[in-house]
Amino acid sequence: MPRKYVIGIDLGTTNSALAWAAPPPDPRELSPVTLLGVPQLVNPGEVRDEDLLPSFLYIAGANDFPAGSLELPWPSADSSMVVGELARKRGTENARRLVSSAKSWLSHAGVDRTAPILPVSAPEGVTKVSPVDASRRYLEHLAAGWNAKMPEAPFAEQQVLVTVPASFDAVARELTLEAARKAGYQDPVLLEEPQAAFYAWIEKHPDWRERVQVGDLILVVDIGGGTTDFTLISVTEGAGELQLERVAVGEHILLGGDNIDLALARHLEQQLAGQGKKLDALQLNALWQQCRLAKERLLAEDANRGEHPVTILGKGTGLVGGTIKTKLLLEDVNRVLLDGFLPLVTSEEMPQRRRMGLAELGLPYAADAAITRHLARFLRQQAAASEHGSVRRGPSGLACPTHVLFNGGVLRSPVVRDRMIEALNNWLRAEGMAPIQPLLGEDLMHAVARGAAYYGMARAGRGVRIRGGIPRTYYVGIESAMPAVPGLPAPLKALAVAPFGMEEGTDLKIPAREFGLIVGEPAEFRFFNSATRKDDEPGALLDGIEEELEELSPVEVNLTGAAGEMVPVTLETVVTETGLLQLWCVARDGRRWKLEFNVREQVSR
Amino acid sequence: MSRIGSAFKSFFAILFSGVLPDDVAREFGYAPKGAVKASTPAPSPASAQPAVGPADGAVQLLGILQRDGRLVDFLMEDISGADDEQVGAAVRTLQEQCREALQRYVRLAPVIDGVEGSFTKLESNDPAVVKLLGNVPATGKAPGGMLRHKGWRAEKVDLPALKPGRNNSVVAPAEVEIE
């Protein structure tokens, strides 16, 4: 049998990547991780290998591209679905056929994520796809790219790891796995992105054990194109060896590098409007790209310029005459970026919350652009949650990390990193703690895919594993046995069924409690989770649905059995090897029912 | 011809005269040695479509420089009335994008990798490779001289394959926005 490769896949919001390793026969050894150049259409009729596959899907119409110009090196069942760089490019010209940020939709509980809803603003007659389907196509493309480059090692026979944001809840994880399976992946394993970034750092630093010590707390800050993700990893000791334990994950924050570039573009657009120059949508898009470039140059390590020219070339063939020119000033970048997105706040300042009665159907973007306030909230939340694992804290209860690892394109800029460190150090100083030490990763755009491949080897006994388990506590809603009150639903209690940190490949029984399960007719189940309540033991019953509990999509199922029968059951929780959460109801006679997270229902309360 | 017949005929032909009989060779898809031209069959049906012509590559490269850097727009525009600052602003962007595109598809290297303004030895006097200027000897050859211009050589051209039958004369499509 041919040797199995380990393949790590970063299914990103704006970019995806694939890294692989060929584990050596000796399980104690590790081998280097390599990035795969993913073949993709970059222009009509032109396929090129690129390290990143832009996570964009363009649903091409009959006249979008010249005939035969969408051929890939592999046969494609549906060539009207363009994935990658060409999709991104063409999407700027015809946005209504472009699917973007499918991953954020995948984690959006307010919509039916298996229904064809994307692109949201597609005109009548365009075949829409579901968030799951779009993700499936990115995964399929990566697999096909692998097969084209490595024909002797079919993708379906390799060990595959797919990363998800740590903030993904059980439903979003399940949907990611569903997309992977539909893409033909065999037994894919999920891994959290910040953990993958940390594995990538370990891969680059085989001497990592000398760089951290027991009691250290490592903060992973991952700012991608569209999302921000925080994780805390604690360094502990077990069996005389250093161990790593993921002790906290943040909420899903839809805020990232694209917001920063757009803010800069809007700033310049207003300036130009003041001079009587109006930009159309395409020009604004060009301005957006130019701002990204100008920002990167102004903030680069060796930059010493105070401004960078920004030019929008004329629209028609009159190029010079129609050129609009302006410049991006370093002080503007600093003002927008540092004061707008990374203000120096105290650790007590919490992000503003959106409280709107009506909102447009769309992604729940973060209402507060200040990443530092979101970070303060994250570290503060760990104060509210009492002890789980060994979290290093200051006198006020604030979690006090000793190290910080940065990941994501935005953090390639030293100015941004320094600002984050400055904010963190202000908080640490107020708590009487020593300054934080940055851990430098090298390849911030590809670290997640690399780290996933490394983890694939670590799973097989080749290196350290971060212990983590599920990053939230899960609850099921239980109707309380109380006399009915007209006009009021029976009060709901929340029963903890899966504790924070429950490890993959384990199961547990909810002790000494029987519940009435309605079978034979449709019944609704409500699920909740919390990233902050970490001490609720399985079986703990909360008297009400508290603020800290977030509701998942409700589940309506019709379990087999005699109509209207109420079966006394006990509950069992299973976390599968791949990180999926399952809840089983077991009757005294041995009958078992599995409650699946269903995503067809919308959360409408 | 029956398979047994072909087999025997081939066997004896190879045994006695060392060649495969023409008719057998053709039947099994082998071109008879030395007779390729003579026995070429009728023109292939593919030539009914216009093939990729020599000019198509030039149009393609122009198309790339236009698509990625708007070079054709710039060269075809009358800029005599535009002020220098405006031209400068446009060119800064254009030059960067065109260079990026050019470097992606064509690997350019100097013909002579020396320092301009200093003496250089010449290994070749091929006028297509080295142009001699100034007091050129009557022989038209020289062992070396002052390097005025390093020259350019396309070491590798890596353009996407063109499809025959496509409208390869279009450098850039017209753009029409639907309101």
Side-chain angles (χ1 to χ4, degrees):
Chain A
M1 178 170 162
R3 190 172 53 183
K4 253 194 170 186
Y5 291 96
V6 176
I7 298 175
I9 286 184
D10 174 7
L11 179 62
T13 314
T14 44
N15 284 299
S16 297
L18 188 157
W20 59 275
D26 182 346
R28 285 160 304 179
E29 287 175 23
L30 292 159
S31 46
V33 175
T34 316
L35 273 180
L36 184 82
V38 184
Q40 57 191 287
L41 284 159
V42 292
N43 288 301
E46 182 181 357
V47 173
R48 194 160 64 213
D49 292 357
E50 297 281 348
D51 283 349
L52 294 173
L53 177 74
S55 308
F56 292 89
L57 173 69
Y58 186 84
I59 303 168
N63 287 326
D64 263 309
F65 300 103
S69 65
L70 296 180
E71 278 163 26
L72 285 163
W74 54 84
S76 154
D78 189 356
S79 64
S80 71
M81 297 286 180
V82 184
V83 169
E85 178 63 17
L86 178 61
R88 193 189 62 73
K89 269 190 198 166
R90 178 67 182 146
T92 61
E93 297 163 352
N94 188 6
R96 299 201 303 168
R97 282 179 173 271
L98 181 73
V99 178
S100 59
S101 299
K103 182 172 161 186
S104 297
W105 286 98
L106 206 58
S107 63
H108 183 9
V111 296
D112 180 351
R113 288 159 274 183
T114 57
I117 52 170
L118 301 177
V120 173
S121 56
E124 203 74 21
V126 170
T127 319
K128 291 191 178 189
V129 298
S130 70
V132 173
D133 201 32
S135 306
R136 189 258 295 176
R137 285 174 192 279
Y138 305 146
L139 292 168
E140 251 175 21
H141 188 104
L142 290 167
W146 167 275
N147 283 335
K149 303 283 282 285
M150 314 281 260
E152 77 292 349
F155 187 86
E157 291 169 17
Q158 315 309 318
Q159 188 201 341
V160 182
L161 298 106
V162 180
T163 63
V164 291
S167 50
F168 259 26
D169 64 21
V171 181
R173 283 169 201 239
E174 171 107 42
L175 290 170
T176 305
L177 272 187
E178 186 187 327
R181 285 198 208 97
K182 283 184 172 167
Y185 287 33
Q186 300 292 320
D187 306 318
V189 172
L190 295 184
L191 170 67
E192 290 171 12
E193 285 158 14
Q195 288 191 43
F198 191 68
Y199 282 123
W201 178 78
I202 290 177
E203 194 233 336
K204 291 272 181 201
H205 301 90
D207 64 337
W208 68 273
R209 284 181 177 84
E210 272 103 70
R211 292 169 187 248
V212 293
Q213 54 184 1
V214 174
D216 281 354
L217 186 63
I218 298 152
L219 168 69
V220 184
V221 175
D222 186 352
I223 308 180
T227 52
T228 294
D229 218 353
F230 306 122
T231 284
L232 282 173
I233 295 170
S234 152
V235 183
T236 58
E237 198 169 19
E241 278 251 5
L242 281 191
Q243 288 187 343
L244 297 168
E245 190 179 352
R246 194 263 286 107
V247 288
V249 302
E251 289 167 26
H252 202 62
I253 308 169
L254 287 188
L255 176 65
D258 294 348
N259 302 62
I260 296 169
D261 302 329
L262 187 59
L264 292 171
R266 291 283 180 200
H267 165 72
L268 287 186
E269 186 198 14
Q270 278 174 13
Q271 263 185 14
L272 289 169
Q275 301 161 20
K277 291 172 187 154
K278 275 195 71 106
L279 300 182
D280 65 18
L282 279 180
Q283 285 178 313
L284 187 63
N285 214 296
L287 183 66
W288 190 352
Q289 307 303 331
Q290 290 269 312
C291 279
R292 170 171 316 177
L293 218 69
K295 178 199 75 181
E296 277 170 12
R297 302 240 169 107
L298 285 171
L299 296 181
E301 212 116 12
D302 48 1
N304 50 3
R305 280 186 292 181
E307 59 181 56
H308 195 279
V310 169
T311 329
I312 318 252
L313 297 178
K315 273 190 272 192
T317 52
L319 175 128
V320 173
T323 288
I324 296 170
K325 105 186 132 54
T326 177
K327 59 193 172 207
L328 190 61
L329 302 176
L330 180 60
E331 55 183 86
D332 285 340
V333 176
N334 283 339
R335 192 172 47 74
V336 171
L337 174 65
L338 301 183
D339 299 344
F341 288 88
L342 302 164
L344 292 174
V345 297
T346 70
S347 64
E348 270 94 29
E349 284 182 55
M350 299 290 113
Q352 294 157 7
R353 288 259 176 175
R354 196 185 329 241
R355 279 281 175 265
M356 293 281 285
L358 289 171
E360 189 186 7
L361 172 72
L363 290 171
Y365 292 108
D368 193 329
I371 293 170
T372 41
R373 271 200 282 272
H374 289 282
L375 182 57
R377 187 176 130 86
F378 170 66
L379 295 176
R380 196 47 76 187
Q381 274 173 342
Q382 310 315 315
S386 61
E387 217 60 45
H388 175 87
S390 47
V391 175
R392 189 170 173 266
R393 294 167 200 289
S396 79
L398 186 81
C400 291
T402 51
H403 297 79
V404 61
L405 175 70
F406 294 119
N407 192 51
V410 176
L411 289 156
R412 280 182 300 178
S413 154
V415 177
V416 178
R417 293 199 300 266
D418 289 349
R419 180 68 161 205
M420 296 288 292
I421 292 170
E422 190 184 350
L424 283 162
N425 279 341
N426 287 350
W427 302 342
L428 291 172
R429 202 176 308 113
E431 303 285 327
M433 294 285 191
I436 202 160
Q437 294 173 42
L439 304 176
L440 283 184
E442 268 126 79
D443 186 5
L444 270 46
M445 291 297 277
H446 311 104
V448 167
R450 285 178 172 283
Y454 177 92
Y455 172 72
M457 289 189 279
R459 265 172 65 88
R462 297 178 169 87
V464 70
R465 268 181 84 167
I466 301 171
R467 288 169 47 222
I470 56 173
R472 288 145 191 271
T473 308
Y474 283 85
Y475 306 84
V476 64
I478 306 271
E479 203 171 282
S480 32
M482 280 182 76
V485 178
L488 285 177
L492 205 62
K493 293 184 176 183
L495 176 80
V497 287
F500 184 96
M502 183 173 172
E503 295 209 26
E504 289 84 2
T506 63
D507 56 76
L508 61 83
K509 293 182 171 59
I510 309 294
R513 257 207 145 96
E514 274 197 338
F515 301 91
L517 176 71
I518 297 168
V519 295
E521 67 180 58
E524 191 194 61
F525 294 86
R526 288 173 68 184
F527 289 97
F528 303 87
N529 69 67
S530 171
T532 53
R533 293 186 66 98
K534 297 181 182 175
D535 300 313
D536 289 333
E537 294 290 329
L541 198 58
L542 312 187
D543 275 339
I545 304 306
E546 321 218 349
E547 263 286 290
E548 297 157 88
L549 263 54
E550 246 177 88
E551 177 148 19
L552 297 166
S553 311
V555 177
E556 199 185 72
V557 278
N558 197 343
L559 300 171
T560 52
E565 188 189 353
M566 174 91 85
V567 186
V569 292
T570 52
L571 297 177
E572 278 182 30
T573 307
V574 176
V575 179
T576 66
E577 273 296 334
T578 51
L580 272 196
L581 182 67
Q582 296 174 347
L583 190 61
W584 292 83
C585 301
V586 185
R588 287 178 201 154
D589 57 13
R591 280 186 293 167
R592 295 169 70 87
W593 294 270
K594 185 178 155 199
L595 301 183
E596 307 243 17
F597 293 108
N598 189 321
V599 290
R600 297 202 176 276
E601 297 289 323
Q602 292 194 10
V603 177
S604 55
R605 38 182 75 77
Chain B
M1 207 183 305
S2 79
R3 289 203 332 229
I4 295 173
S6 302
F8 273 104
K9 197 173 171 187
S10 308
F11 176 73
F12 288 110
I14 293 169
L15 186 65
F16 293 117
S17 48
V19 291
L20 202 59
D22 278 3
D23 51 346
V24 177
R26 225 172 288 127
E27 185 168 343
F28 288 90
Y30 298 107
K33 248 190 197 165
V36 183
K37 285 271 156 61
S39 64
T40 301
S44 77
S47 59
Q49 286 179 324
V52 175
D56 290 352
V59 174
Q60 185 190 16
L61 190 59
L62 275 180
I64 287 169
L65 292 171
Q66 164 66 14
R67 183 193 68 207
D68 294 348
R70 308 273 311 271
L71 184 68
V72 177
D73 286 344
F74 175 65
L75 295 177
M76 296 308 289
E77 187 177 1
D78 177 10
I79 58 166
S80 51
D83 60 40
D84 287 0
E85 211 188 335
Q86 187 79 358
V87 176
V91 165
R92 201 181 279 282
T93 309
L94 183 136
Q95 191 264 354
E96 188 178 327
Q97 291 169 348
C98 283
R99 189 177 57 172
E100 206 174 284
L102 191 62
Q103 283 173 343
R104 176 161 285 148
Y105 297 98
V106 182
R107 192 163 76 213
L108 289 167
V111 174
I112 296 175
D113 196 4
V115 179
E116 290 177 0
S118 68
F119 182 82
T120 182
K121 273 204 226 168
L122 289 177
E123 279 153 26
S124 156
N125 279 309
D126 178 354
V129 179
V130 176
K131 188 157 74 170
L132 299 180
L133 320 170
N135 298 320
V136 183
T139 57
K141 290 182 177 177
M146 199 265 283
L147 181 62
R148 280 267 304 260
H149 189 293
K150 289 191 269 195
W152 291 111
R153 178 202 299 279
E155 287 195 324
K156 197 178 168 210
V157 181
D158 200 5
L159 290 168
L162 279 174
K163 295 246 160 58
R166 189 86 59 71
N167 201 343
N168 287 333
S169 69
V170 173
V171 175
E175 294 175 7
V176 179
E177 190 174 347
I178 317 299
E179 297 284 322

